[in-house]
C-alpha cells in the first residue's frame, strides 16, 4: 500500500512539473513572438508610404497572440500548482484558441507575400510621381533611398519621368538628374553654391531591396506562426493528457483513502469523526449516558414470605 501511494504521489508530481515546464516554454515563445511582431511592425512603419494598411494586420495579430499566450501560460502553471483539473482543461482550450489565431496569422502572411511585388510597383511609382508635390512623400522617398542606398524603382533612370530638372534635358542624353538622397557622394555645385551636385548616384533601384525586406518579413511571420502553432498543438494534447492523469490519480487516491477509512471502521460525516452505531465505543458512551441520567432509586422487595 505504501509503495502504491508513493507511486501515485510521484506520478502527480511528475505531471505537475511537466505542465509547469511546458507553460514556461510557452511564455518564452510568447516573448519571442512579441519581439518578432514588434520588429516587423517597426519595419512596416518606416516604409509605411509604400505599404498598404492591411499589411500591418499580421504583425499586430502576432503581438496580440504573444500577450494572450503569456496569460494562458500563467493559467497553466497556476492550475498545475493547484492540481486543478478544471484549470488545466481550461488551459488546453485556451491553447487551442491561440492555435487557431496563429494559423490565421500564418495564412494572412502567406497571402500577403504573394501581393508584395504588385503593391510595391504601384506605390513606389506613385511616390516618385508625387515627390515634388508632397513633402511627406519626399521625406519617405529620401528615407528609403538613403537608408537602402538605392535610387529610383528599377534604376536611377526612373527619375527621368518624374523629376522636373530632367525635363530640360534632351531625350538622347544619358545624364539623369536625381535627388541628393540617391547619391553616394556629393560635391558643391560651382554654378549654384547653395546646392549640392551628385557625383555618383546609387547604381541599383530600390524595388529589389524593398521586395526582399517586405517578402522576408511576411515569410518570417508565416513560418514563425506556423511553427509555434504546431508546437502548441502538441501542448494542447499534453494538457488534456495531464488533466486526465491528474483526474485518474486523484480518483485512485480518494478511493484508497475511503477503503482505509472503511477498514478502520470510521466514516467521515460533515468533517466530524463519527463512530458507527454498533461499535463498542458507542455502547460505552450510551452506558455512560444512562449512568449519568436521573432515575428513581431501586427498592429491593424480597419475594419470600415475612415471618411474624
Amino acid at each position: 500500500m505504501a509503495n502504491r501511494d508513493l507511486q501515485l504521489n510521484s506520478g502527480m508530481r511528475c505531471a505537475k512539473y511537466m505542465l509547469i515546464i511546458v507553460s514556461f516554454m510557452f511564455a518564452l515563445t510568447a516573448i519571442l513572438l512579441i519581439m518578432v511582431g514588434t520588429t516587423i511592425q517597426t519595419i512596416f512603419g518606416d516604409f509605411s508610404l509604400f505599404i498598404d494598411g492591411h499589411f500591418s494586420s499580421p504583425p499586430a495579430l502576432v503581438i496580440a497572440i504573444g500577450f494572450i499566450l503569456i496569460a494562458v501560460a500563467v493559467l497553466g502553471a497556476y492550475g498545475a500548482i493547484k492540481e486543478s483539473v478544471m484549470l488545466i482543461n481550461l488551459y488546453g482550450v485556451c491553447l487551442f484558441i491561440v492555435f487557431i489565431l496563429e494559423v490565421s496569422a500564418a495564412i494572412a502572411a502567406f497571402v500577403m507575400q504573394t501581393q508584395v511585388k504588385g503593391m510595391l510597383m504601384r506605390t513606389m511609382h506613385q511616390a516618385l510621381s508625387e515627390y515634388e508635390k508632397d513633402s511627406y512623400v519626399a521625406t519617405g522617398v529620401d528615407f528609403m533611398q538613403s537608408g537602402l542606398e538605392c535610387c529610383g524603382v528599377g534604376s536611377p533612370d526612373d527619375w527621368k519621368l518624374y523629376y522636373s530638372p530632367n525635363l530640360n534635358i534632351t531625350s538622347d542624353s544619358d545624364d539623369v538628374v536625381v535627388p541628393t538622397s540617391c547619391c553616394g557622394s556629393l560635391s558643391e555645385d560651382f554654378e549654384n553654391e547653395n546646392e549640392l551636385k551628385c557625383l555618383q548616384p546609387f547604381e541599383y533601384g530600390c524595388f529589389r531591396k524593398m521586395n526582399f525586406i517586405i517578402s522576408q518579413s511576411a515569410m518570417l511571420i508565416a513560418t514563425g506562426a506556423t511553427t509555434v502553432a504546431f508546437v502548441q498543438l502538441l501542448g494542447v494534447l499534453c494538457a488534456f493528457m495531464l488533466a486526465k492523469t491528474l483526474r485518474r490519480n486523484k480518483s485512485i487516491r480518494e478511493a484508497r483513502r475511503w477503503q482505509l477509512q472503511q477498514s478502520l471502521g470510521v466514516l467521515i460525516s460533515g468533517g466530524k469523526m463519527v463512530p458507527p452505531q454498533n461499535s463498542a465505543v458507542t455502547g460505552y458512551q450510551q452506558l455512560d449516558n444512562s449512568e449519568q441520567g436521573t432515575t428513581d432509586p431501586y427498592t429491593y422487595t424480597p419475594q419470600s414470605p415475612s415471618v411474624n
Side-chain angles (χ1 to χ4, degrees):
M1 181 69 70
N3 291 332
R4 291 181 180 179
D5 292 338
L6 181 61
Q7 290 176 358
L8 281 178
N9 293 331
S10 299
M12 293 281 285
R13 284 197 299 268
C14 181
K16 179 194 299 187
Y17 294 142
M18 185 182 298
L19 188 57
I20 292 175
I21 293 173
V22 170
S23 300
F24 179 73
M25 292 175 61
F26 282 151
L28 293 179
T29 304
I31 295 174
L32 292 177
L33 285 176
I34 294 173
M35 293 175 62
V36 170
T38 304
T39 302
I40 294 176
Q41 189 84 330
T42 303
I43 293 174
F44 286 179
D46 292 338
F47 300 107
S48 60
L49 179 65
F50 312 101
I51 299 175
D52 292 337
H54 68 275
F55 271 65
S56 61
S57 298
L61 181 58
V62 168
I63 295 173
I65 289 172
F67 284 108
I68 294 173
L69 189 55
I70 289 177
V72 173
V74 172
L75 175 65
Y78 180 77
I81 294 173
K82 293 296 183 180
E83 297 182 4
S84 173
V85 177
M86 183 189 69
L87 289 179
I88 295 175
N89 284 325
L90 180 61
Y91 169 71
V93 172
C94 293
L95 277 182
F96 185 73
I97 294 175
V98 174
F99 166 78
I100 295 175
L101 293 176
E102 288 175 341
V103 171
S104 302
I107 293 174
F110 278 121
V111 173
M112 183 176 69
Q113 191 181 17
T114 62
Q115 302 173 350
V116 172
K117 289 185 178 180
M119 177 197 66
L120 289 178
M121 291 297 294
R122 171 176 53 83
T123 56
M124 292 177 72
H125 280 288
Q126 183 179 358
L128 262 62
S129 65
E130 299 176 359
Y131 181 80
E132 296 180 295
K133 302 175 183 178
D134 192 335
S135 60
Y136 174 76
V137 174
T139 302
V141 172
D142 289 338
F143 175 81
M144 176 187 67
Q145 294 186 142
S146 60
L148 301 181
E149 297 183 354
C150 56
C151 187
V153 180
S155 67
D157 294 337
D158 293 326
W159 285 107
K160 285 184 178 180
L161 301 175
Y162 302 114
Y163 201 40
S164 58
N166 291 306
L167 301 179
N168 299 326
I169 300 176
T170 59
S171 59
D172 296 336
S173 176
D174 294 334
D175 295 334
V176 180
V177 180
V178 295
T180 56
S181 59
C182 271
C183 300
S185 58
L186 298 169
S187 66
E188 293 184 0
D189 191 351
F190 296 103
E191 297 179 359
N192 190 348
E193 296 180 355
N194 295 327
E195 294 184 1
L196 297 175
K197 183 177 181 180
C198 181
L199 297 179
Q200 183 64 40
F202 297 121
E203 184 177 358
Y204 299 103
C206 296
F207 174 77
R208 186 174 63 178
K209 293 185 177 181
M210 285 288 294
N211 182 51
F212 177 80
I213 292 173
I214 306 303
S215 297
Q216 289 300 312
S217 298
M219 179 59 69
L220 182 60
I221 293 176
T223 54
T226 303
T227 303
V228 175
F230 281 103
V231 172
Q232 283 186 203
L233 186 60
L234 297 177
V236 172
L237 298 176
C238 180
F240 287 133
M241 291 177 63
L242 291 176
K244 183 178 179 181
T245 302
L246 287 174
R247 188 186 303 112
R248 185 179 68 249
N249 289 344
K250 280 187 174 183
S251 299
I252 294 174
R253 189 168 59 183
E254 291 298 327
R256 289 183 177 175
R257 182 182 300 172
W258 183 81
Q259 291 175 357
L260 179 61
Q261 293 169 355
Q262 288 295 315
S263 64
L264 295 177
V266 178
L267 298 176
I268 298 180
S269 176
K272 239 177 134 183
M273 302 297 294
V274 179
Q277 295 296 328
N278 58 352
S279 66
V281 177
T282 307
Y284 292 148
Q285 291 177 349
Q286 290 176 353
L287 179 61
D288 184 66
N289 292 333
S290 64
E291 289 177 354
Q292 291 179 358
T294 58
T295 58
D296 294 336
Y298 183 78
T299 305
Y300 174 76
T301 304
Q303 299 297 327
S304 60
S306 58
V307 178
N308 293 327

